[in-house]
Amino acid sequence: MEELSSTECHQWYKKFMTECPSGQLTLYEFRQFFGLKNLSPSASQYVEQMFETFDFNKVSRGPVAGRGSAGGTPLEA
């Protein structure tokens, strides 16, 4: 895995705060943000597990995206 420079990290943070000013992100938005489309079932499961690992507030807003809904659990920064 490649290490991010401080400039790259700042650019990702700036993009996140521009696209998600509330600091919350659903699984669907998380996939969109990182361009995670057309993943294999195992890759999709890994992404969902990664999202849930950082989902500190565990607030449910409907079914998990990718399972028949555009909802999901918000990920709070």
Side-chain angles (χ1 to χ4, degrees):
M1 181 174 216
E2 186 178 320
E3 191 172 317
L4 291 176
S5 70
S6 60
T7 301
E8 290 170 316
C9 188
H10 179 73
Q11 289 170 342
W12 277 103
Y13 176 76
K14 186 176 176 181
K15 178 181 178 186
F16 174 75
M17 291 311 294
T18 299
E19 295 185 20
C20 304
S22 70
Q24 293 190 341
L25 189 65
T26 64
L27 177 57
Y28 175 79
E29 293 165 332
F30 180 78
R31 290 174 187 252
Q32 294 295 109
F33 185 81
F34 290 106
L36 304 170
K37 301 175 186 175
N38 304 318
L39 300 175
S40 69
S42 62
S44 186
Q45 183 179 10
Y46 177 79
V47 167
E48 191 172 317
Q49 181 181 359
M50 185 172 58
F51 176 85
E52 290 174 6
T53 299
F54 293 100
D55 179 17
F56 298 118
N57 63 356
K58 307 291 185 205
V59 177
S60 179
R61 295 210 179 167
V64 175
R67 291 188 182 164
S69 171
T73 304
L75 177 66
E76 196 165 322

